[in-house]
Amino acid sequence: MTNPFRRRLLLAGATFAAATTTGLARAADPEKLRIGYQKSSTLTILLKSRGELERTLAPLGVAVSWHEFTSGLPLLEALNVGAIDLSADVADAVPPFALAAGASLTYYALEAPSPTAQAIVVRKDSPITSVAQLKGKRVAFAKGAGAHFLLLEALAREGLSIRDVEPAYLSPADGRAAFENGSVAAWVVWDPFLAAVQRQAGARILTDGAGLSAYRRFYLAGSPYAARRPDVLTAVYGELQRAGEWVRKNPGPAAQWHAPLIGLDAATVEAANQRRSYRVQPVDAEALAEQQRIADAFTQAQVLPRKVVVADSPVWKPARLG
């Protein structure tokens, strides 16, 4: 007959062994890096399609899960609540809205300015030849987008304000329809929608962002994750730089690869890509200063609910830059 104490000892030993085995298995499981992206996130989607990021992160004990979003603000909201760890690029107008909502975000990279990748356009037969002639006219744009900021700056350069035009707050799809049926005099939009309306409808540019809006695209991280895993940010940053170099050196193949994913023809995508820098760089003081100008412009226009101080947000930099 087995001694009761011995039975308890054997049971405790088995329980400890099982717990130890489970613990070791869990320790061996890779940590998940959750990345949010959009269809416009060219470089991130390129990494996803090639599996290069997974290979780079494997020695760090990190696996990757990918999460698609329809637009930038929900992506950053998910980042703030901890549903994802890193965001792919978002347009420059997006972070101020997330910060106004109290998000704790860290800027970790940007794509160098691409000011010609957004513009104010009119139809090819329009009599309008200058931004000043938009006074009193109906102008379509997405409220709170970079296009909105571009319009504010373009009007200000002519001594006008948003009160001097009739805003039509429309999504890109609805803006294109309104533009083509003549219910708006002008449309403010970004690539690839800009390239599409130029190529397919002969739209004419009144002004692009040159000298008005730099149109940088920012990569962000949840601040707790950025503080905990700077090694992962270093790895992701390097892969993004390499992806950008490939797109710049291979414009044709890059467009052929990306076009089916966003539902456009390759020629339109290539035209759009020629206006986007795809140069991944550290976030610098000049970029943050424009983020503040965007935030201030939207606060003054009563688009943002409160004042945002961009300098309060952490900025990660590659170790070699200090």
Side-chain angles (χ1 to χ4, degrees):
M1 185 174 185
T2 307
N3 185 300
F5 176 76
R6 180 175 172 76
R7 280 203 309 271
R8 288 197 297 272
L9 187 62
L10 290 171
L11 181 61
T15 303
F16 176 78
T20 301
T21 302
T22 302
L24 288 172
R26 286 178 180 165
D29 288 341
E31 176 186 332
K32 273 283 175 22
L33 169 64
R34 301 162 299 171
I35 299 178
Y37 66 96
Q38 308 168 72
K39 281 187 169 61
S40 61
S41 304
T42 307
L43 303 186
T44 299
I45 295 174
L46 182 60
L47 295 180
K48 178 178 181 290
S49 69
R50 292 182 167 182
E52 291 175 359
L53 190 57
E54 284 87 347
R55 288 189 286 273
T56 298
L57 292 175
L60 301 178
V62 175
V64 182
S65 62
W66 304 93
H67 307 268
E68 186 174 346
F69 291 79
T70 56
S71 61
L73 194 54
L75 195 165
L76 294 193
E77 288 169 352
L79 195 65
N80 182 50
V81 301
I84 58 173
D85 304 306
L86 297 184
S87 87
D89 56 291
V90 294
D92 52 7
V94 178
F97 283 89
L99 297 176
S104 177
L105 305 175
T106 293
Y107 290 85
Y108 78 90
L110 61 78
E111 288 181 21
S114 302
T116 61
Q118 56 180 355
I120 303 174
V121 296
V122 294
R123 289 179 299 281
K124 61 183 177 182
D125 59 351
S126 172
I128 296 172
T129 58
S130 70
V131 172
Q133 292 175 315
L134 294 177
K135 185 174 182 178
K137 302 293 194 302
R138 193 164 185 247
V139 180
F141 57 94
K143 187 175 184 179
H148 190 164
F149 178 67
L150 172 58
L151 178 62
L152 294 175
E153 294 293 287
L155 290 171
R157 188 167 66 180
E158 300 297 330
L160 303 173
S161 76
I162 198 69
R163 293 183 295 275
D164 291 306
V165 300
E166 182 184 345
Y169 301 127
L170 299 173
S171 68
D174 292 337
R176 173 74 182 260
F179 180 76
E180 292 192 339
N181 68 28
S183 62
V184 297
W187 185 27
V188 196
V189 71
W190 58 93
D191 276 324
F193 307 107
L194 173 59
V197 77
Q198 283 183 284
R199 288 177 51 81
Q200 297 163 7
R204 178 164 47 83
I205 291 177
L206 284 184
T207 187
D208 56 30
L212 295 169
S213 173
Y215 193 55
R216 297 172 177 88
R217 298 187 68 85
F218 290 89
Y219 296 78
L220 296 104
S223 289
Y225 189 86
R228 186 171 64 84
R229 294 303 307 257
D231 56 334
V232 172
L233 265 63
T234 298
V236 173
Y237 179 85
E239 289 299 334
L240 287 170
Q241 281 193 315
R242 284 185 279 276
E245 289 170 5
W246 182 84
V247 171
R248 294 197 309 275
K249 291 177 180 177
N250 300 276
Q256 290 285 349
W257 157 77
H258 200 201
L261 301 180
I262 55 178
L264 290 172
D265 63 279
T268 296
V269 174
E270 186 168 356
N273 283 350
Q274 288 174 353
R275 291 191 285 232
R276 185 165 161 183
S277 74
Y278 290 117
R279 295 183 184 277
V280 177
Q281 299 176 346
V283 178
D284 57 18
E286 183 180 349
L288 294 176
E290 187 173 55
Q291 282 283 276
Q292 190 63 58
R293 288 197 298 276
I294 292 171
D296 291 344
F298 283 156
T299 302
Q300 185 176 356
Q302 298 183 322
V303 179
L304 276 183
R306 66 178 181 88
K307 181 173 176 58
V308 167
V309 180
V310 174
D312 289 345
S313 297
V315 176
W316 174 88
K317 290 186 178 180
R320 67 180 181 275
L321 297 177

